[in-house]
Amino acid sequence: MDRCLGKLFAFLGKNALIFYAGIGMGIYRCAHEWPLWFNATVTQVGVSPLFVGDFFFMLVDIGKAVGLAVYLVLCYRFDMHRSSGALLVLPSVLIAAGCLVPLSVVLGFAPGDGVVLGSLVLIGAGAGMLFGQWIEFCGYLPPVKVIQVFAVSFVVRFALLPVITGVDELLSTLVIICLAGLSFVQVSFCFSKIAVAEDRPREGLGAKGLSGYGMLFLFVCVFAFAYGVGGSATQLSHSTHETGLGNLLPSLVILILAFKMGDRFDRTILYAIALPLMTVGLIGVEFLGVSLSLSQVMVSAAYSAFDLLVYTMVCSNAYRSRTSAMLPGSCIRILALVAADLAIVLMRLNASWNRGILVTATILATLAVGIAVFAPLLGSQREFSRFLSEGESSERERLGGIAEAAGLSARETTVFRLLVMGKSATEISEELFISNGAVRAHSSRIYDKFGVHSRKDFDALFSER
């Protein structure tokens, strides 16, 4: 027993930052879903809902999109070093301020409609900004750790949201104000634990850099639209239980695999999970008569796997190219919100549409775009070269010429470049999703081709070039 506890504590200590960041992102997920639960449940205690209408959820989503856009401008214009205390606490302040209106409703006050609408947008804006902070943090992590953080966040959301929503409305409101209001402490702590090696701040990619994400953006729009179609069909997309369970299942599987496999975990696993789940969920609800609850679980499971897939790609690109992950990550978040909400609106406004045809077209489009986007990327590192600056690109070409002259294979060339950059075997394995043993094998062959016998000799050789 003592031995097992010792292993458990050692494991938690080794991965403390992963779990802490995952808890912080899980609180973000609770914060942006909480108003939807609050609006649906206050009527049970004789309190009028904050907002009556079919598109209540869009108020919070509009806030998220606006908040992300504003936060991008503020950060890239005034805080390139991410050192502003005011911008650090801004998301937490907005969420806490927005929650004061629901609190006043519970206490028996009657704020005007404009105040209520403003509070919902404010909560969404704060949640959107908080997401921007966490996606920026994840851009400093190796790919497998990004997967772990996102997976932990879904597990935390599943465990925490029912607790928050399981108490009375007053206590629930106070808890969410405290948790969301103190999120900046978690963000600050996580950033303080990252060893940032760059002498200059990470820059945004700009419009030219974002063009490299074109096909990924297209996939996000199609997949999020498919999720909106599925959510509209089940009417359970904002359900605490079905959506939470759907998010939890693939997250647990992926989390276990990511920790168990470590640097051998590959994004092909994420892709293999996300696409079949979404397809099965849409087919089940529309053509097979599967229960709405089960269909929503499958659709939500697909979307959580999709989240893990696309944001891991964005953060991996930022990690490799030493650029900011906030801009492309925020663009993906905004596109996903717009596409999912558009699907829900279209399905509700056009009830006479042949849903079978729409679902079939959505499934085919999701499969086609997914294959077009990811088939060329699986197992390849070439796509990441487009995110390098001109100086880095020139150095890459120089090293490529040296590698070609030495007769290195494509994979050996990739490892060779990282060795020249001074990366350790562990860092290389994390970047390339390969095992430490594979790195050592590649390194040994590289040393042989350059006529050296150790890493020390290799470093000495290339310090002279």
Side-chain angles (χ1 to χ4, degrees):
M1 184 66 178
D2 291 339
R3 185 180 179 183
C4 292
L5 288 175
K7 287 184 176 180
L8 175 62
F9 287 127
F11 172 77
L12 293 176
K14 180 181 178 182
N15 298 284
L17 183 61
I18 299 300
F19 285 106
Y20 196 76
I23 291 171
M25 189 173 282
I27 290 174
Y28 146 75
R29 297 189 187 283
C30 293
H32 80 81
E33 290 186 44
W34 173 81
L36 304 170
W37 166 86
F38 183 91
N39 193 67
T41 58
V42 289
T43 54
Q44 299 174 10
V45 293
V47 178
S48 300
L50 289 174
F51 184 75
V52 179
D54 290 336
F55 305 114
F56 161 76
F57 64 91
M58 291 189 64
L59 293 170
V60 180
D61 286 353
I62 289 171
K64 293 176 198 173
V66 172
L68 271 170
V70 170
Y71 203 64
L72 282 172
V73 173
L74 292 175
C75 286
Y76 289 128
R77 180 68 178 84
F78 302 107
D79 189 29
M80 289 297 297
H81 290 273
R82 306 293 186 268
S83 58
S84 170
L87 288 180
L88 175 66
V89 302
L90 180 60
S92 300
V93 170
L94 291 182
I95 296 175
C99 288
L100 292 178
V101 175
L103 179 62
S104 70
V105 171
V106 174
L107 294 175
F109 296 96
D113 290 344
V115 174
V116 170
L117 297 180
S119 73
L120 296 173
V121 174
L122 203 61
I123 293 172
M129 292 180 179
L130 187 57
F131 173 82
Q133 290 180 334
W134 282 120
I135 203 71
E136 178 79 339
F137 165 76
C138 287
Y140 287 88
L141 300 178
V144 71
K145 292 185 178 180
V146 176
I147 294 171
Q148 291 164 352
V149 169
F150 269 81
V152 168
S153 75
F154 282 116
V155 176
V156 170
R157 182 266 182 211
F158 176 81
L160 187 59
L161 191 59
V163 174
I164 296 174
T165 59
V167 297
D168 65 80
E169 286 69 25
L170 176 59
L171 182 57
S172 175
T173 307
L174 293 175
V175 169
I176 203 70
I177 288 175
C178 292
L179 288 176
L182 294 175
S183 291
F184 72 91
V185 177
Q186 292 176 293
V187 174
S188 178
F189 175 82
C190 288
F191 270 104
S192 72
K193 295 300 180 182
I194 297 176
V196 182
E198 298 98 299
D199 295 327
R200 56 185 174 82
R202 290 195 173 186
E203 299 178 353
L205 294 172
K208 184 177 180 181
L210 284 179
S211 64
Y213 286 94
M215 286 298 293
L216 182 61
F217 288 163
L218 177 60
F219 175 72
V220 168
C221 291
V222 173
F223 204 99
F225 188 88
Y227 176 73
V229 170
S232 179
T234 64
Q235 299 291 312
L236 293 172
S237 59
H238 298 300
S239 165
T240 300
H241 302 292
E242 284 84 356
T243 300
L245 182 61
N247 290 337
L248 175 69
L249 294 178
S251 299
L252 278 178
V253 172
I254 290 167
L255 188 61
I256 292 170
L257 289 174
F259 277 117
K260 188 73 176 176
M261 298 174 67
D263 46 40
R264 290 177 290 121
F265 190 90
D266 191 85
R267 58 189 169 195
T268 54
I269 298 173
L270 296 175
Y271 182 65
I273 290 174
L275 220 56
L277 282 172
M278 179 62 74
T279 303
V280 170
L282 290 174
I283 291 176
V285 70
E286 189 60 36
F287 301 113
L288 301 181
V290 175
S291 71
L292 297 181
S293 293
L294 180 58
S295 293
Q296 183 60 45
V297 167
M298 288 188 290
V299 171
S300 296
Y303 199 73
S304 63
F306 156 82
D307 250 19
L308 287 161
L309 177 63
V310 296
Y311 291 118
T312 297
M313 290 189 66
V314 167
C315 293
S316 298
N317 291 340
Y319 179 77
R320 290 182 174 91
S321 61
R322 298 296 184 263
T323 55
S324 170
M326 190 187 296
L327 177 59
S330 297
C331 289
I332 284 177
R333 184 63 179 146
I334 292 171
L335 288 173
L337 287 170
V338 172
D341 287 351
L342 177 63
I344 294 174
V345 170
L346 289 176
M347 292 288 282
R348 291 185 181 180
L349 291 180
N350 296 276
S352 60
W353 281 11
N354 187 321
R355 288 199 325 189
I357 295 176
L358 180 61
V359 168
T360 302
T362 301
I363 292 171
L364 293 176
T366 304
L367 290 171
V369 176
I371 292 171
V373 171
F374 292 103
L377 299 181
L378 299 180
S380 171
Q381 299 298 318
R382 289 177 298 173
E383 284 295 313
F384 297 111
S385 63
R386 71 177 66 181
F387 302 104
L388 300 174
S389 66
E390 283 189 22
E392 291 170 321
S393 182
S394 298
E395 177 65 7
R396 182 184 179 87
E397 291 176 3
R398 185 183 75 85
L399 294 177
I402 295 174
E404 185 177 357
L408 301 187
S409 68
R411 175 59 86 183
E412 288 170 353
T413 299
T414 302
V415 175
F416 164 69
R417 291 192 180 103
L418 296 174
L419 287 171
V420 174
M421 291 170 62
K423 300 276 187 179
S424 67
T426 299
E427 290 172 327
I428 294 172
S429 70
E430 288 178 336
E431 280 208 29
L432 301 182
F433 278 119
I434 58 177
S435 67
N436 279 308
V439 174
R440 288 193 293 270
H442 288 309
S443 299
S444 178
R445 288 193 291 271
I446 292 169
Y447 298 160
D448 288 342
K449 292 178 181 180
F450 282 102
V452 296
H453 304 288
S454 67
R455 178 65 187 268
K456 183 178 179 180
D457 293 338
F458 178 87
D459 290 341
L461 174 65
F462 282 94
S463 66
E464 300 170 357
R465 298 199 178 194

